[in-house]
């Protein structure tokens, strides 16, 4: 592909991504599904196609996507639900890989156990992007969002480690040893965690540089690539290093980064995430033609049996695993982190993990969409790998079936199950935190006022005190309304909505006046941009409508 063709392909991809984003906003359909369908359609049109390069995906695309997802996750919530997260991201992935391998070795002629396990490792880890996008729109409860995030962040490391071991055995590079395989997995995982923590603390050490928004941005963009390369250089899990670094840095960001740095970094990562995810799903779709083309050397019966084994394990074993783990004996279940609803506190005062309910289990079972990591993993197998084309077709079919089938039905399923986040509780918690923050600010003013100040400073502090008191009174009123609400939805506030409307109208009027000054030659563009940026920041902090407050 020439440079001009590559540029045209890139511009076309951006045009499709933007169009799909607009369609998604109008229809509510999952963007991942629409992009995949667009990619499939494009594969059968004349024109250049990009090859899915596994090294490119694993080195340049996967680390930024995982890092941004980790930044947006909660380290505390994942730690609180760690047993379930480990069950899904480690134990379930291992069991799925072994089951697929066993099924292939018994039912698909010519495929060894090691080759089947390699395929199983590739199809085992769900990609949470599509499920999270749909789940958040559908109002999925916070706990399920956390479990999907935690599973999606950690399962790739498990799958890629299994894939490496199975690939070496299948190609004759080494003989399988249970102890060696377990040891390799433990070393890769522990090493990845240590590298991730090390990178996170190095970034913390550089917090002086992060005060400048541009420098903070550059450091943030380099962090996932540095973590991945450092881990891979010493032959431990680069994926896990990226995830751990992202979780720790995301946890530290409110403490060590300036407000301007956080705003700019978050905006840049939203754009990168938006484009990378779009390109990934387009690549998945446009790869369909080449996958089908490579199946000419296989009997139809072999293809059908291989496909049934793969899809059967992927679609049926996940809900079975979740149901079995929830039906464990009470004493064992407690050791796995579950406990009664009325025992939400440990003696140390920390929340403990509660068992999943029936509806939550069903929803989590259907949140197993596979994505680009599955294709990148299976295509990372060497070209001499036995039955590589058949394995690639099975992996691609799993991605399509889960991405399109589960992606389109996940939101209706969540609504049918009646699973909704308790927005009233969220709004109550936010207003309690706001009240506490304002009280802390008032106490700080008291401390400052106890020192010696001139008249001008006293006036400034009194003005600030009145503004803070107005905010505190508004939050207290909102809390009173929320305490009286019986619905899980935050009740609307006419006063609050009116205040938002008025504030937006005032900002719009200020912008219009600034433009009139610029157009009349009274204000230059440089100063217009500075003043507009001030208004942009004011507008940015206004809450979105109808989302609870």
């Amino acid at each position: 592909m020439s440079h001009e063709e590559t540029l045209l392909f890139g511009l076309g991809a951006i045009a499709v991504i933007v169009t799909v984003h607009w369609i998604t906003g109008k229809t509510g359909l999952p963007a991942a599904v629409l992009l995949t369908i667009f990619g499939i359609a494009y594969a059968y049109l004349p024109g250049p196609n990009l090859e899915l390069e596994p090294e490119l995906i694993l080195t340049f695309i996967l680390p930024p996507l995982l890092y941004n997802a980790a930044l947006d996750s909660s380290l505390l919530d994942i730690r609180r639900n760690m047993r379930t997260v480990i069950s899904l991201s480690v134990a379930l992935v291992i069991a799925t890989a072994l089951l697929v391998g066993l099924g292939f070795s018994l039912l698909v002629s010519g495929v060894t156990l090691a080759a089947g396990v390699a395929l199983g490792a590739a199809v085992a880890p769900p990609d949470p992007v599509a499920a999270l996008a749909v789940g958040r729109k559908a109002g999925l409860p916070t706990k399920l969002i956390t479990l999907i995030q935690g599973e999606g962040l950690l399962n790739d490391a498990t799958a890629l480690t299994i894939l490496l071991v199975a690939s070496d055995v299948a190609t004759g590079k080494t003989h399988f040893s249970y102890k060696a395989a377990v040891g390799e997995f433990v070393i890769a995982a522990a090493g990845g965690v240590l590298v991730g923590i090390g990178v996170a603390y190095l970034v913390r050490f550089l917090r002086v540089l992060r005060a400048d928004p541009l420098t903070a941005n550059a450091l943030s963009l380099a962090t996932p690539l540095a973590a991945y390369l450092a881990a891979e250089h010493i032959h431990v899990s680069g994926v896990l290093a990226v995830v751990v670094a992202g979780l720790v840095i995301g946890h530290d960001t409110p403490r060590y980064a300036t407000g301007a740095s956080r705003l700019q970094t978050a905006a840049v990562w939203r754009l990168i995430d938006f484009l990378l995810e779009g390109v990934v799903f387009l690549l998945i779709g446009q790869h369909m033609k080449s996958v089908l083309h490579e199946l000419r050397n296989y009997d139809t019966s072999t293809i059908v049996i291989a496909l049934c084994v793969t899809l059967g394990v992927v679609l049926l074993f996940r809900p079975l695993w979740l149901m079995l783990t929830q039906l464990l004996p009470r004493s064992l279940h407690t050791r796995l982190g579950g406990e009664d609803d009325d025992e939400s506190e440990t003696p140390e005062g920390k929340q403990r993990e509660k068992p999943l309910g029936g509806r939550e289990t069903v929803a989590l079972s259907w949140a197993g969409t596979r994505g680009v990591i599955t294709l990148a993993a299976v295509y990372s197998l060497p070209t001499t790998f036995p039955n590589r084309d058949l394995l690639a077709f099975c992996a691609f079919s799993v991605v399509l079936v889960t991405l399109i089938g589960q992606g389109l039905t996940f939101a209706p399923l969540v609504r049918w199950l009646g699973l909704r986040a308790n927005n009233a509780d969220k709004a109550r918690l936010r207003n309690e935190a706001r009240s506490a923050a304002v009280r802390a600010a008032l106490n700080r003013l008291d401390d400052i006022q106890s020192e010696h100040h001139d008249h001008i400073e006293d006036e400034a502090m009194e003005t600030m005190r009145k503004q803070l008191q107005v905010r505190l009174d508004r939050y207290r009123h909102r809390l009173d309304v929320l305490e009286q609400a019986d619905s899980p939805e935050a009740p609307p506030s006419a006063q609050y909505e009116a205040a938002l409307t008025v504030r937006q109208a005032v900002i719009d009027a200020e912008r219009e006046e600034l433009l009139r000054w610029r157009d009349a030659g009274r204000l230059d563009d440089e100063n217009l941009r500075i003043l507009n940026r001030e208004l942009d920041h004011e507008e940015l902090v206004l809450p979105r409508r109808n989302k609870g407050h």
Side-chain angles (χ1 to χ4, degrees):
M1 186 184 293
S2 67
H3 295 311
E4 288 185 357
E5 288 177 329
T6 304
L7 180 58
L8 282 173
F9 185 89
L11 291 174
I14 292 174
V16 171
I17 293 168
V18 171
T19 302
V20 166
H21 182 70
W22 178 81
I23 295 173
T24 298
K26 295 292 183 180
T27 64
L29 293 172
V33 174
L34 294 178
L35 286 166
T36 304
I37 293 172
F38 267 90
I40 293 172
Y42 175 78
Y44 288 91
L45 295 176
N49 277 322
L50 283 183
E51 291 296 323
L52 196 152
E53 296 288 343
E55 289 301 319
L56 181 68
I57 296 292
L58 294 175
T59 306
F60 293 103
I61 293 182
L62 189 62
L65 286 175
L66 287 175
Y67 182 72
N68 187 42
L71 288 177
D72 287 339
S73 301
S74 168
L75 179 62
L76 296 179
D77 284 346
I78 290 177
R79 265 175 38 187
R80 192 174 296 128
N81 295 279
M82 183 55 75
R83 290 177 177 86
T84 302
V85 170
I86 293 298
S87 171
L88 293 172
S89 62
V90 178
L92 177 57
V93 170
I94 294 173
T96 301
L98 293 176
L99 266 181
V100 172
L102 186 61
F104 265 70
S105 66
L106 294 176
L107 300 174
V108 183
S109 61
V111 180
T112 64
L113 174 63
V117 170
L119 171 63
V123 301
D127 179 354
V129 173
L132 282 174
V134 176
R136 286 194 176 107
K137 280 189 177 180
L140 207 60
T142 303
K143 179 173 181 176
L144 292 186
I145 293 290
T146 298
L147 292 178
I148 294 171
Q149 279 180 326
E151 178 188 12
L153 288 172
L154 301 175
N155 57 18
D156 294 341
T158 307
L160 292 176
T161 304
I162 298 171
L163 181 78
L164 180 61
V165 174
S167 175
D168 288 345
V169 173
T171 54
K173 289 183 179 179
T174 183
H175 294 288
F176 178 76
S177 165
Y178 177 78
K179 288 184 178 180
V182 172
E184 185 174 347
F185 177 79
V186 170
I187 291 172
V193 170
L194 291 176
V195 170
I197 292 174
V199 170
Y201 274 86
L202 177 61
V203 171
R204 180 187 292 183
F205 177 75
L206 297 174
R207 63 181 180 270
V208 175
L209 299 177
R210 295 169 68 194
D212 171 59
L214 290 176
T215 306
N217 238 335
L219 286 173
S220 184
L221 293 175
T223 297
L225 301 177
Y228 183 84
L229 290 176
E232 290 294 317
H233 182 70
I234 60 174
H235 305 294
V236 296
S237 175
V239 169
L240 201 53
V242 170
V243 168
V244 171
L247 286 172
V248 176
I249 292 171
H251 185 73
D252 283 347
T253 292
R255 180 178 292 112
Y256 294 114
T258 64
S261 297
R262 285 197 299 271
L263 286 172
Q264 188 175 100
T265 302
V268 169
W269 274 114
R270 280 198 301 273
L271 175 61
I272 291 173
D273 210 45
F274 173 67
L275 293 177
L276 285 184
E277 286 177 4
V279 169
V280 159
F281 290 116
L282 281 174
L283 281 176
I284 289 173
Q286 68 103 39
H287 212 63
M288 179 177 182
K289 186 177 179 181
S290 62
V291 170
L292 294 177
H293 181 72
E294 302 297 336
L295 286 178
R296 294 170 298 173
N297 298 325
Y298 294 92
D299 296 333
T300 303
S301 59
T302 301
I303 296 172
V304 171
I305 293 172
L307 188 58
C308 288
V309 169
T310 311
L311 287 174
V313 173
V314 167
L315 295 178
L316 299 178
F317 187 61
R318 180 181 177 86
L320 179 63
W321 177 275
L322 284 166
M323 286 188 289
L324 289 177
T325 54
Q326 298 307 307
L327 294 175
L328 288 171
R330 184 61 196 159
S331 58
L332 181 58
H333 198 301
T334 300
R335 289 199 297 273
L336 289 175
E339 64 173 30
D340 293 330
D341 289 349
D342 59 347
E343 299 174 351
S344 59
E345 299 288 333
T346 63
E348 294 80 18
K350 296 181 180 179
Q351 286 187 339
R352 292 177 60 190
E353 188 176 351
K354 298 178 183 178
L356 296 173
R359 293 180 300 165
E360 293 174 318
T361 301
V362 173
L364 196 56
S365 299
W366 208 241
T369 55
R370 270 60 174 179
V372 70
I373 185 63
T374 292
L375 291 185
V378 79
Y379 276 96
S380 68
L381 297 173
T383 55
T384 57
F385 195 88
N387 300 293
R388 183 176 183 267
D389 297 332
L390 179 62
L391 303 185
F393 170 73
C394 291
F396 186 80
S397 300
V398 166
V399 171
L400 280 188
V401 169
T402 57
L403 192 58
I404 296 177
Q406 293 180 327
L408 287 174
T409 57
F410 188 56
L413 176 67
V414 170
R415 288 192 292 267
W416 179 74
L417 291 171
L419 283 172
R420 298 284 296 176
N422 194 319
N423 291 324
D425 279 350
K426 289 183 177 180
R428 188 180 300 112
L429 177 61
R430 285 194 296 269
N431 280 276
E432 287 174 351
R434 287 167 180 155
S435 299
V438 171
R439 285 195 295 270
L442 288 169
N443 291 336
R444 180 64 58 85
L445 278 182
D446 289 338
D447 293 340
I448 295 173
Q449 205 161 21
S450 65
E451 303 171 4
H452 178 71
H453 297 287
D454 59 28
H455 178 65
I456 296 178
E457 289 178 323
D458 288 337
E459 282 187 356
M461 284 188 291
E462 189 58 33
T463 300
M464 179 60 68
R465 185 182 300 278
K466 289 178 181 178
Q467 292 174 353
L468 289 171
Q469 192 61 50
V470 169
R471 288 170 57 190
L472 183 59
D473 291 342
R474 184 168 70 246
Y475 298 151
R476 285 173 174 168
H477 172 72
R478 185 64 180 149
L479 276 171
D480 291 340
V481 173
L482 289 167
E483 291 294 341
Q484 298 169 9
D486 296 327
S487 169
E489 294 300 321
S493 169
Q495 181 183 16
Y496 185 84
E497 293 294 327
L500 288 182
T501 301
V502 170
R503 187 69 193 110
Q504 185 65 61
V506 168
I507 292 173
D508 292 342
E510 291 180 87
R511 282 204 185 103
E512 291 169 6
E513 184 63 19
L514 291 175
L515 286 173
R516 276 194 290 269
W517 274 52
R518 194 276 308 272
D519 294 341
R522 301 172 65 187
L523 183 68
D524 59 80
D525 281 303
E526 180 183 357
N527 282 310
L528 173 66
R529 283 190 286 269
I530 292 172
L531 296 175
N532 253 337
R533 193 179 305 126
E534 294 174 2
L535 295 177
D536 291 343
H537 279 271
E538 286 189 47
E539 187 177 48
L540 185 65
V541 300
L542 295 180
R544 294 182 180 181
R545 304 297 183 85
N546 302 321
K547 296 291 183 184
H549 349 291

